[in-house]
Amino acid sequence: MPELPEVETTVRALRQPLVGRTFTEVRCYWPRQIVKPSLAELQQRLHGQRVEAISRRAKYLLFHLSSGDYLIIHLKMTGHLSVVGANMPADKHVHTIFSLANGQELRFRDMRKFGRVYLVAHPDEVLAGLGPEPLEPAFTVAELQKRLNGRSRALKPLLLDQSFVAGIGNIYADEALFAARLHPERKADSLTSQEITALHNAIQQVLQLGIQREGASIQNYVKPDGQRGDMQNAVAVFRRTGYPCSVCEAPIERIVLGGRSTHFCPSCQS
DNA sequence: ACCGGAGCCTGTTAGC
DNA sequence: TGCTAACAGGCTCCGG
């Protein structure tokens, strides 16, 4: 389940093999993976375009093209991007293959088929409505406070809301709330200013740790080269139901909140 | 504003 | 042992 750190790790790994390369053909075996434009138009517009840069916004990858267009990809649950020689065999979960002029291919593999591809002239066509980037300077304590103010929702579903803050998924939401010592069911507008500062710090801290450790390989995620990340060895609560809390040794609990499994320490978090 | 549920998917796991 | 059912969670959409 790639979240911000996993997508950031993917972006960083793809720059070396892709920036400066030129797309040629596109083959797609699961056309619903392409949201817009049509597959035929995407093939035509992408052909001959050089990758000028690769960046990330929330959980989206943005390939900046020489035409000014953007190829945008969301990995959703099980999406995986790799760059390999065209002669390497591809398994049945590789749904879209972007050929490069140097004989290599960018391959989009996605077991669950939730991942999506866009080719647009303006990123806002896809990214409008996203909340702030949690690691950007604009995401200050004051900004978080402003966004929490007047919200009656529980913290956990709010952190997963991409319009509230962008890039956090189930793993880092649970980890951030543990690091901030806040119960996932706490109402957003009930936080003291100290708790807001703690939450702000915790969000940045767990995301930065996730990036440092190159993502959490808990279910399906691996880096573009197939290697596992290391964040799964640093999680405090996620999928650790019943294990002792690293701080107080109380067993970690699991509840369902907003339809999502939620892990927390009943003793440390309030 | 907020919540719950359905839907999109398929490999893995739990349970009979 | 072998089958079925539930589960996993990225997101969107719909109804209440």
Side-chain angles (χ1 to χ4, degrees):
Chain A
M1 47 279 67
E3 305 178 26
L4 187 155
E6 288 74 25
V7 177
E8 180 64 29
T9 302
T10 299
V11 164
R12 291 181 184 186
L14 291 177
R15 284 193 180 116
Q16 193 278 325
L18 282 184
V19 172
R21 301 298 174 197
T22 301
F23 286 116
T24 54
E25 284 85 34
V26 178
R27 281 167 288 155
C28 179
Y29 307 102
W30 180 255
R32 288 164 67 178
Q33 195 165 47
I34 317 281
V35 178
K36 66 177 170 183
S38 65
L39 173 59
E41 187 181 338
L42 179 134
Q43 288 167 325
Q44 184 242 316
R45 272 167 67 181
L46 205 52
H47 189 96
Q49 294 311 313
R50 193 175 59 245
V51 179
E52 301 286 357
I54 310 175
S55 62
R56 178 192 59 74
R57 170 78 171 107
K59 302 173 193 170
Y60 293 86
L61 297 102
L62 282 73
F63 300 81
H64 306 229
L65 304 175
S66 44
S67 59
D69 281 344
Y70 291 81
L71 178 69
I72 299 181
I73 296 180
H74 197 305
L75 303 173
K76 294 284 180 91
M77 298 289 298
T78 55
H80 180 256
L81 293 168
S82 62
V83 180
V84 295
N87 54 349
M88 289 284 287
D91 75 13
K92 63 173 182 172
H93 298 302
V94 174
H95 305 305
T96 305
I97 297 179
F98 305 84
S99 297
L100 300 164
N102 69 349
Q104 295 208 295
E105 293 176 345
L106 171 64
R107 293 180 180 174
F108 191 2
R109 179 181 190 275
D110 189 5
M111 193 175 79
R112 299 275 295 275
K113 294 180 174 172
F114 286 176
R116 292 294 180 261
V117 175
Y118 312 78
L119 181 68
V120 293
H122 303 289
D124 277 356
E125 294 177 52
V126 178
L127 309 177
L130 286 174
E133 279 293 316
L135 295 180
E136 290 291 309
F139 184 68
T140 57
V141 174
E143 173 67 20
L144 177 61
Q145 178 158 35
K146 194 182 84 186
R147 290 180 163 267
L148 289 166
N149 188 34
R151 304 296 296 266
S152 61
R153 291 180 85 178
L155 288 175
K156 172 70 186 276
L158 202 55
L159 289 183
L160 293 178
D161 182 343
Q162 299 299 297
S163 69
F164 179 77
V165 56
I168 298 174
N170 214 30
I171 298 175
Y172 295 93
D174 283 2
E175 293 300 311
L177 289 171
F178 174 79
R181 301 175 61 88
L182 290 166
H183 195 287
E185 291 180 296
R186 271 290 290 280
K187 302 301 178 197
D189 58 4
S190 75
L191 270 56
T192 65
S193 56
Q194 277 143 351
E195 287 174 328
I196 293 170
T197 302
L199 180 59
H200 181 267
N201 291 345
I203 288 170
Q204 295 198 328
Q205 176 207 310
V206 299
L207 292 175
Q208 267 154 3
L209 184 64
I211 292 172
Q212 265 174 38
R213 289 183 171 252
E214 301 187 288
S217 294
I218 290 178
Q219 281 162 316
N220 299 280
Y221 168 76
V222 289
K223 294 185 276 177
D225 64 5
Q227 300 285 106
R228 289 159 61 83
D230 189 39
M231 183 62 188
Q232 68 279 5
N233 299 313
V235 295
V237 289
F238 187 75
R239 294 265 189 105
R240 293 186 53 76
T241 313
Y243 287 97
C245 169
S246 54
V247 174
C248 76
E249 307 207 333
I252 300 303
E253 279 186 17
R254 175 186 180 274
I255 57 173
V256 175
L257 231 183
R260 301 280 168 229
S261 67
T262 298
H263 314 78
F264 67 102
C265 172
S267 161
C268 289
Q269 295 176 249
S270 57

